[in-house]
Amino acid sequence: DFLGALDEVKPAYGAEDEELQTYILNDILSWTPAIDQILEDGKLIMNQARNSDKTPLVSVLLHGPTASGKTALAARLGQLSDFPYVKVISPAKLVGFSEAGKIQTITKIFDDAYKSQMSCIIVDDIERLLEYVQIGPRFSNGILQTLMTLLRKTPPKGRKLVVVGTTSKKAVMKELGINECFDSEIHVPNISNSDELEKALTLMNTFAPAETQQIKGRIEGHIWVGVKSIIMAAEKARQDDYNKVERFVDAISGGFVA
Amino acid sequence: DFLGALDEVKPAYGAEDEELQTYILNDILSWTPAIDQILEDGKLIMNQARNSDKTPLVSVLLHGPTASGKTALAARLGQLSDFPYVKVISPAKLVGFSEAGKIQTITKIFDDAYKSQMSCIIVDDIERLLEYVQIGPRFSNGILQTLMTLLRKTPPKGRKLVVVGTTSKKAVMKELGINECFDSEIHVPNISNSDELEKALTLMNTFAPAETQQIKGRIEGHIWVGVKSIIMAAEKARQDDYNKVERFVDAISGGFVA
Amino acid sequence: DFLGALDEVKPAYGAEDEELQTYILNDILSWTPAIDQILEDGKLIMNQARNSDKTPLVSVLLHGPTASGKTALAARLGQLSDFPYVKVISPAKLVGFSEAGKIQTITKIFDDAYKSQMSCIIVDDIERLLEYVQIGPRFSNGILQTLMTLLRKTPPKGRKLVVVGTTSKKAVMKELGINECFDSEIHVPNISNSDELEKALTLMNTFAPAETQQIKGRIEGHIWVGVKSIIMAAEKARQDDYNKVERFVDAISGGFVA
Amino acid sequence: DFLGALDEVKPAYGAEDEELQTYILNDILSWTPAIDQILEDGKLIMNQARNSDKTPLVSVLLHGPTASGKTALAARLGQLSDFPYVKVISPAKLVGFSEAGKIQTITKIFDDAYKSQMSCIIVDDIERLLEYVQIGPRFSNGILQTLMTLLRKTPPKGRKLVVVGTTSKKAVMKELGINECFDSEIHVPNISNSDELEKALTLMNTFAPAETQQIKGRIEGHIWVGVKSIIMAAEKARQDDYNKVERFVDAISGGFVA
Amino acid sequence: DFLGALDEVKPAYGAEDEELQTYILNDILSWTPAIDQILEDGKLIMNQARNSDKTPLVSVLLHGPTASGKTALAARLGQLSDFPYVKVISPAKLVGFSEAGKIQTITKIFDDAYKSQMSCIIVDDIERLLEYVQIGPRFSNGILQTLMTLLRKTPPKGRKLVVVGTTSKKAVMKELGINECFDSEIHVPNISNSDELEKALTLMNTFAPAETQQIKGRIEGHIWVGVKSIIMAAEKARQDDYNKVERFVDAISGGFVA
Amino acid sequence: DFLGALDEVKPAYGAEDEELQTYILNDILSWTPAIDQILEDGKLIMNQARNSDKTPLVSVLLHGPTASGKTALAARLGQLSDFPYVKVISPAKLVGFSEAGKIQTITKIFDDAYKSQMSCIIVDDIERLLEYVQIGPRFSNGILQTLMTLLRKTPPKGRKLVVVGTTSKKAVMKELGINECFDSEIHVPNISNSDELEKALTLMNTFAPAETQQIKGRIEGHIWVGVKSIIMAAEKARQDDYNKVERFVDAISGGFVA
Ligand SMILES: Nc1ncnc2c1ncn2[C@@H]1O[C@H](COP(=O)(O)OP(=O)(O)OP(=O)(O)O)[C@@H](O)[C@H]1O
Ligand SMILES: Nc1ncnc2c1ncn2[C@@H]1O[C@H](COP(=O)(O)OP(=O)(O)OP(=O)(O)O)[C@@H](O)[C@H]1O
Ligand SMILES: Nc1ncnc2c1ncn2[C@@H]1O[C@H](COP(=O)(O)OP(=O)(O)OP(=O)(O)O)[C@@H](O)[C@H]1O
Ligand SMILES: Nc1ncnc2c1ncn2[C@@H]1O[C@H](COP(=O)(O)OP(=O)(O)OP(=O)(O)O)[C@@H](O)[C@H]1O
Ligand SMILES: Nc1ncnc2c1ncn2[C@@H]1O[C@H](COP(=O)(O)OP(=O)(O)OP(=O)(O)O)[C@@H](O)[C@H]1O
Ligand SMILES: Nc1ncnc2c1ncn2[C@@H]1O[C@H](COP(=O)(O)OP(=O)(O)OP(=O)(O)O)[C@@H](O)[C@H]1O
Ligand SMILES: [Mg+2]
Ligand SMILES: [Mg+2]
Ligand SMILES: [Mg+2]
Ligand SMILES: [Mg+2]
Ligand SMILES: [Mg+2]
Ligand SMILES: [Mg+2]
């Protein structure tokens, strides 16, 4: 079938893939079928860029709550594309740069992408790249305009580009108008009930089955935590063998910012 | 007749025309008679500049929703003018420039235009050129003032200039007062019902007639999508042969920003 | 009589007069007696500067709607003054300059004026010189303060200076306090009824008398258009012989920004 | 008597006095007893600085409507002080300077004043020096802070300094807090009824007694015009012998900004 | 037990520990069991960083009222970690630096930390580091973005980092969104009743038991003072032997900012 | 007694003491017992710094209405400390400096203070040092943050520092949060009734006893004037022997800004 073709493709090896891997430190756990659908939709977009001359530029925005796993999923999409050029633009790489330096670096990454026949750029944590803060609000209009323009700039003849953005502030993206610069959007969900939590803990393997059931009993009903926070809470709990379940529940229900 | 004279004119060949062509990647589809009227009105303006010594500067603003085809139409008007100097000022060309650099580049393009006897300048995506964002709101007043002044500056004796602007934010243009700097305005419409959509899909030739009818059946009544989004949705749908109609309808009704 | 003396004066010849003429591309049509009164009042002010040692600096602000003919009238007053130094400060001349560059140029023009015994400076389109935009609002306070100070700076002993300003934003001038820097103000009106329009069209000679009557019939009662827009509409209409009247009426009633 | 001592003092001769004279182009007309009281109060302040070692710095703020004669009165106080150092800080002298340049110039004038045993500095048109504009509002805080600090800085041991400020925006001075930096304030009035106008016109001698009576008849009751505007209106009226009275009344009642 | 392992660890000796000690000028008094819990929780976090490869970056925010002892507690956590690299980023170290200099220094400290296998960075007085002031409000967005990014930047492979922040403006941290960048939060309490005060005074040993009882009698019920202010008040009281109790009560109840 | 020790200390002689003296041009008049209490409280603080190793940094903020004598009292506290290093940071010393220059100078003075074993820094007129103006409001956040940080920075081991601040805008200090940086606060009162005025005038010796009684009769009840304004008014009144009482009452009741 049409998705199968891509599935067989092996992820590229090399320095870039190693970097992509650092964003997936704790694997992609299939704690909900939505995770698989996100990956399928992503493959479709990669194929569109590969196959259509009418749309040489395709872009998608991954949005969802803090710690829900957006960056890891974007990195996985980059791996799945198997494009020769896959690059992540992230706040951590630009730390300490002036606004002009940030703009220059971003522009350079797009220029480099145009040199490859097929490229994928991950624009991670857009609100942080924009230096957004709700008080004011303030943000770098220079970086915003650069991104908005590059997100809509047609690559040179014959070149293809996929852009995958991530954000945990969809409302801000809308206020800034940058959401209109993406062709489509994909939502990344939080873990929201004890069944999903059980599935995730089982896949993680940090707790014994009995401990997992204890936790489930303590949670009762609806929660709202990202997979990244679940991992953080479990690792803290692990340090206190005598109060493991207690520590985990404490951590995800207040001690940790959910 | 008076419009016929221009119709016979062959579009200029060369580097500039090649660039203009990149803005019309998927042709101009006549999915509504309004498209032909826009092109006729544009020719009239070109003739006015050519023939009248009393109005050596004529300008027109193309406005309409995102993805409705404004840039492609402006590029086509540039081709139809057959003027020796036709130039596009677009955000993508100015990306990464400082404000001063942008102002200098814009001014240079107008200065070059004055050297040709008849010139056409396309000022594309004015809100992006102005680095406009609704929060604040913020924008480059330097670029705004430069454009407002150049849009009203009489060319040197004997020279003629037509300026074609495009925007998807007419209300913003009004707030900024730049709409007053254009002599006239032309509206570019979205596809707004299933008959128009059928016409466009038939001209595009991506779907089989039966698929087009299926889509029509699914849409039922009024829609609001730009021709550029229609093409993007069709190309994505093409990647999934087994769910082609489904994917297209999904894409234009929410997945894609309409 | 006292105004006659000036009437006989021939306008100065040379480069400056040629420049003044470019602002009066389509002559001054006497479509209303108010036009003649404006010119008379202007002459009175020129005489005051010439004759009174008590008021070596006199200034007047021409205000009225967009396209009403303010710049052309100011240029004509400059010609009528017959002063050896007549200079126009206009946005188009300062385009692309930095704020400091604009301030320096403006200051230089005043300094040059002080070197001549009698001078006239036209400060055209003050809102544009100030880079004013209603959002914010924003403007160059540096240029504003420079103008406000120069508009009240007494010329050196024995020198005389007349300053003629133009603006289509009288309310803004008031908000900025710059209107208080002018000694007096003169209003430039729009064409506001079909009789005035008939008079203007007859003087323009673009339409046959029968066409003018047709237009009058179509207009019915009150309109609100500047003489510059009338000329623009007539020239566009001229390009379509078969629909001349139709095109003109369309152009002044909406197609064109009135 | 104690005021007499100063009365006998002859105004200093030289370049500075010549400059002071340019601010009093049309003399000080005693159109109301308030004018004499202002001059007397000013002399008292000069004497205080001269005689008291406890208050080596004394300052006074002249405030009143636009064109009421504040600058001319401040210049006259400077002449009356007969101090060896009398200097005017005015916007016209600082035109085109950067903010830093203006601050430097102002500071330099105070530093120079400290070198003379007795000095008088006139700080003219404070709102303009501060580049104040009500929209925003905006102003140079750098210049404001410099003035506020210098207005309260004790001169070196044994030196005396009088500062005379002028403003037509007392409410603004209060908002900015600079009024608190002056030791006292003096109000300069407008001409506010036909008797005061008659007195002023009689002293000016531009109109024949009969004309003055005609004007008085036309005015009827209360007016509100500064002595500077009266002079401007009279000089314009003089240019049209046949409508002299008419022109004067027109000018002070609307044509001219009162 | 699991906490015991760390308890036996001796605090590192050397220059850095000496610096840490300066923040604990008056020891850590156990005036409430909450103090011991804070130290235990801190040790847990240090162990998590040491032992877990899944969470190489762990961060915690100490928040509480002014003078409650946050900085001293953070320094003590740094000592307890026994990591080879422990560094304090404090406003006092950055005083007089430009914004760029501050950002560079902060970034450098994180870069140095990445070079050690296990590191602890104390980010002290975040609101002051950010140059926050509630009027406006104003703050350095450059420093905020730098901290927000570094607080979430994964250390290089195999390296571990613990970040301990302190603030007395938790609401501000939330408005700025920086609280979301910490994995967890710990509250540092004020002394809030006379029993707690008695405990603290007894541990401090500045007052005789009888004096402490007198103070307790004067306080009656609830108070709200930080331990640092208690020490300051006691030291002032000590200077006036005859009114020691009086002076102390005065100082903590109004004379001193509580 | 404990205060006596300091009383015997002679004020230091030399350049710095001479400068301190210039701030006390008209002595410290004991027109109310509150003045003596302020001086006693100040001595206590000096002793605390001298004697306590637990609080090497002590600070106090003198606040009160304009002209109430804050600067003179702060200078007197500096004299009483008898510390080897006493320095005043005042707006007048920083006039014309850039923001960076001001910050550098302030930082330098604190650095110098740390070199002496015991130091006292007077931070005079904080609102002016901060370039504060209520419109906006505007102020130098750079200077504010520098002061806030230095006011809380512990001196190097073994060094002691007392900081005395003055302000007439306590509400502003609170809005800016800088009041929290002082350990304690002292209020400086205005003269507020005719008995206090009589005491002050009697100590000043400018008026004959009969004149003082006349003034008292004219005042009747409550007034609100600073001691500095009283002196200014008395000196002006002295210039007009015939209306001395009249002039004084006028000056303090409106002519002078109270
Ligand atoms: N289904 C999943 N989706 C995404 N990440 C997962 C999933 N399962 C496990 N993970 C792990 O969870 C972590 C997700 O962290 P990630 O940084 O991607 O979250 P995020 O949403 O980008 O957080 P933030 O809002 O802070 O940017 C990674 O370590 C990843 O390996
Ligand atoms: N009738 C038409 N008018 C305009 N463009 C058309 C038409 N028919 C097909 N097209 C194609 O549709 C696309 C229109 O895209 P274009 O960039 O011009 O839209 P736009 O309105 O400028 O979008 P945006 O709001 O993003 O600037 C082009 O690829 C063009 O070839
Ligand atoms: N009575 C008239 N007064 C002024 N201009 C006239 C008159 N009759 C004809 N004209 C012509 O009309 C045009 C007026 O244009 P002008 O630029 O002066 O208008 P404006 O009011 O300054 O416009 P804008 O508001 O755009 O600055 C000129 O070409 C001038 O020759
Ligand atoms: N009694 C008077 N007081 C002041 N000026 C007088 C008086 N009588 C005549 N004059 C003349 O009136 C003019 C006053 O102008 P001046 O510039 O001093 O006014 P101003 O109040 O400072 O105006 P502005 O508000 O524009 O600064 C001077 O030419 C002066 O010679
Ligand atoms: N239980 C305690 N916790 C913290 N500090 C204590 C405790 N007992 C005594 N101290 C002493 O109290 C002082 C606490 O001052 P510290 O600077 O840490 O307070 P802070 O809350 O950081 O103040 P600020 O809000 O001004 O930053 C130190 O001198 C410390 O030695
Ligand atoms: N009891 C007093 N306290 C303070 N100053 C006094 C006293 N008695 C007399 N003086 C004199 O009064 C003057 C006080 O002026 P000072 O500049 O200190 O006032 P201030 O409150 O700082 O004014 P500002 O609000 O303008 O800063 C000095 O000349 C001082 O010698
Ligand atoms: Mg992320
Ligand atoms: Mg476009
Ligand atoms: Mg004009
Ligand atoms: Mg003046
Ligand atoms: Mg602290
Ligand atoms: Mg003071």
Side-chain angles (χ1 to χ4, degrees), chain C residues 54 152, chain D residues 23-31 35 64-73 124-125 166 168 188 227-228 231:
Chain C
K54 298 190 160 187
R152 287 158 39 104
Chain D
Y23 298 104
I24 323 175
L25 204 61
N26 297 298
D27 214 344
I28 304 288
L29 309 175
S30 273
W31 57 268
I35 298 298
T66 305
S68 58
K70 302 168 299 295
T71 302
L73 284 167
D124 190 37
D125 219 345
T166 83
S168 53
V188 180
V227 67
K228 190 162 82 174
I231 295 166

Side-chain angles (χ1 to χ4, degrees), chain A residues 152, chain B residues 67 69-72 124-125 166 228:
Chain A
R152 288 158 37 104
Chain B
K70 303 169 298 296
T71 302
D124 191 38
D125 220 345
T166 82
K228 189 161 83 174

Side-chain angles (χ1 to χ4, degrees), chain A residues 43-68:
Chain A
K43 287 178 204 162
L44 211 67
I45 284 166
M46 298 301 167
N47 275 342
Q48 178 182 357
R50 192 187 306 274
N51 301 329
S52 160
D53 287 336
K54 297 190 159 185
T55 56
L57 170 69
V58 192
S59 59
V60 61
L61 178 62
L62 298 189
H63 61 92
T66 304
S68 58

Side-chain angles (χ1 to χ4, degrees), chain D residues 141-243:
Chain D
N141 195 25
I143 298 175
L144 175 64
Q145 299 295 334
T146 301
L147 282 179
M148 285 176 86
T149 301
L150 291 174
L151 277 167
R152 287 159 38 105
K153 180 175 173 178
T154 310
K157 218 173 169 166
R159 307 295 153 122
K160 310 292 184 63
L161 175 62
V162 173
V163 183
V164 181
T166 83
T167 183
S168 53
K169 307 252 185 242
K170 183 161 171 212
V172 170
M173 297 301 110
K174 222 165 161 179
E175 273 190 307
L176 296 174
I178 193 171
N179 69 322
E180 285 199 23
C181 299
F182 285 93
D183 297 315
S184 63
E185 301 180 353
I186 295 177
H187 179 72
V188 180
N190 254 0
I191 291 169
S192 65
N193 59 49
S194 54
D195 286 341
E196 288 174 355
L197 180 61
E198 180 182 8
K199 185 80 192 290
L201 291 182
T202 305
L203 288 164
M204 272 175 57
N205 215 15
T206 309
F207 294 94
E211 288 170 334
T212 299
Q213 289 312 315
Q214 270 183 302
I215 289 168
K216 233 185 129 175
R218 292 285 304 276
I219 293 296
E220 287 175 25
H222 293 287
I223 57 169
W224 188 253
V225 197
V227 67
K228 190 162 82 174
S229 297
I230 296 289
I231 295 166
M232 177 60 75
E235 290 302 291
K236 187 180 184 194
R238 268 209 313 129
Q239 309 307 317
D240 187 356
D241 285 340
Y242 299 108
N243 305 294

Side-chain angles (χ1 to χ4, degrees), chain F residues 51-66:
Chain F
N51 301 330
S52 160
D53 286 335
K54 299 190 160 185
T55 55
L57 170 68
V58 191
S59 59
V60 61
L61 178 63
L62 299 189
H63 61 92
T66 304

